[in-house]
Amino acid sequence: MKLCRFVEPEQTRARFGLVEGAQVYALPEDFSFARMESVAGARGSQPFALDAVRLLAPVTPSKVVCIGRNYRDHAAELGNPMPPEPLLFLKPPSAVVGHEDVIELPRQSARVEYEGELGVVIGRRARRLSETDDPLSYVFGYTCVNDVTARDLQRQDVQFTRAKSFDTFCPVGPFVVDGIDPLDVNVQTRLDGEVRQNARTSVMAFPVPFLIRYISHIMTLEPGDLISTGTPAGVGAMQDGQTVEVEVEGIGILRNAVRASAE
């Protein structure tokens, strides 16, 4: 199952949709990530051509929970030690943008970097999961995320909030897909077509099930919330006029142009 969020041609209203091949079927306006079992039977009867609609970020999360230093090679390339437990930080929902939206380079930063990641979309309320709970049963699906970071501000501030929270600093999409194995998929980032990051999630220090259970003991995860699971080695700066792509095996390609902010 592959879901998107889109705007119909000549319309402004956002809809969730079920993607089948090159077509998208609108879902009811009251669609919720908490009701995944009813998605297939709730689709509209008249499809739109996928290339005729404008895709939006496929999630509208109450929070974006991010994991730092979850790939040992990435921690090493920045000169950081591996944490003994997952290193958590948050991005605000206002940072979320979609496929083909522009990443704006803020004037406050001289070095903004890409970080391609696997995203986990929660489908059931998860709070204090026990060792017998299956964390993956709380997942609706998976998506591509670019955890855009103002690296100079991150180093200056020590903590991550400002560096990770500018508007447009959380591209997500283009789809939410179920049925993939989050324990072993390829994550690749390309800058102007050149591969910069390439790794499999099997080398994560803290795998997806562990992360979901761990986070659930700190904050309640609600349906539609997004977990960005960490980035591999190979992060680097983006410049005005470049294009960055994050591709996760089995999901698709998240593409965004990079532009200097006019404000």
Side-chain angles (χ1 to χ4, degrees), residues 4-162:
C4 70
R5 188 165 157 264
F6 70 100
V7 174
E8 302 172 19
E10 301 181 1
Q11 299 291 325
T12 58
R13 180 181 58 176
R15 301 287 299 274
F16 283 96
L18 181 65
V19 179
E20 296 184 358
Q23 298 180 316
V24 56
Y25 293 83
L27 292 172
E29 293 186 14
D30 63 349
F31 166 79
S32 166
F33 282 106
R35 301 207 311 269
M36 73 177 99
E37 69 282 348
S38 63
V39 168
R43 71 177 199 178
S45 59
Q46 295 297 321
F48 299 94
L50 189 57
D51 60 6
V53 304
R54 182 167 66 92
L55 292 177
L56 307 174
V59 292
T60 55
S62 72
K63 53 188 170 291
V64 181
V65 187
C66 301
I67 314 301
R69 305 177 198 168
N70 201 19
Y71 290 77
R72 290 178 174 83
D73 287 351
H74 170 59
E77 74 177 345
L78 296 183
N80 294 317
M82 281 297 296
E85 296 180 290
L87 175 61
L88 305 186
F89 59 92
L90 298 173
K91 279 182 178 276
S94 56
V96 173
V97 292
H99 176 65
E100 299 287 9
D101 285 339
V102 170
I103 296 170
E104 294 186 353
L105 304 177
R107 294 183 178 183
Q108 295 95 320
S109 174
R111 186 177 180 88
V112 176
E113 298 188 357
Y114 54 80
E115 294 191 8
E117 310 193 3
L118 170 69
V120 179
V121 180
I122 298 299
R124 296 168 54 198
R125 190 172 189 266
R127 182 174 185 269
R128 296 181 182 175
L129 301 189
S130 72
E131 290 301 317
T132 60
D133 289 321
D134 175 13
L136 296 185
S137 71
Y138 289 80
V139 174
F140 185 96
Y142 304 90
T143 191
C144 308
V145 179
N146 190 344
D147 174 21
V148 180
T149 304
R151 192 69 67 198
D152 52 348
L153 301 184
Q154 183 185 26
R155 289 171 174 147
Q156 176 181 319
D157 295 351
V158 182
Q159 54 86 27
F160 295 178
T161 303
R162 181 167 63 138

Side-chain angles (χ1 to χ4, degrees), residues 198-257:
N198 192 43
R200 302 195 70 83
T201 57
S202 56
V203 301
M204 284 182 177
F206 305 105
V208 170
F210 182 94
L211 292 174
I212 296 170
R213 182 179 287 111
Y214 182 87
I215 295 167
S216 79
H217 283 263
I218 300 165
M219 64 191 83
T220 300
L221 292 166
E222 301 289 353
D225 281 352
L226 178 65
I227 302 173
S228 196
T229 57
T231 199
V235 299
M238 301 180 292
Q239 306 295 333
D240 178 51
Q242 292 189 300
T243 299
V244 61
E245 296 175 315
V246 176
E247 181 173 5
V248 177
E249 180 181 5
I251 296 174
I253 299 171
L254 169 65
R255 182 183 304 108
N256 298 95

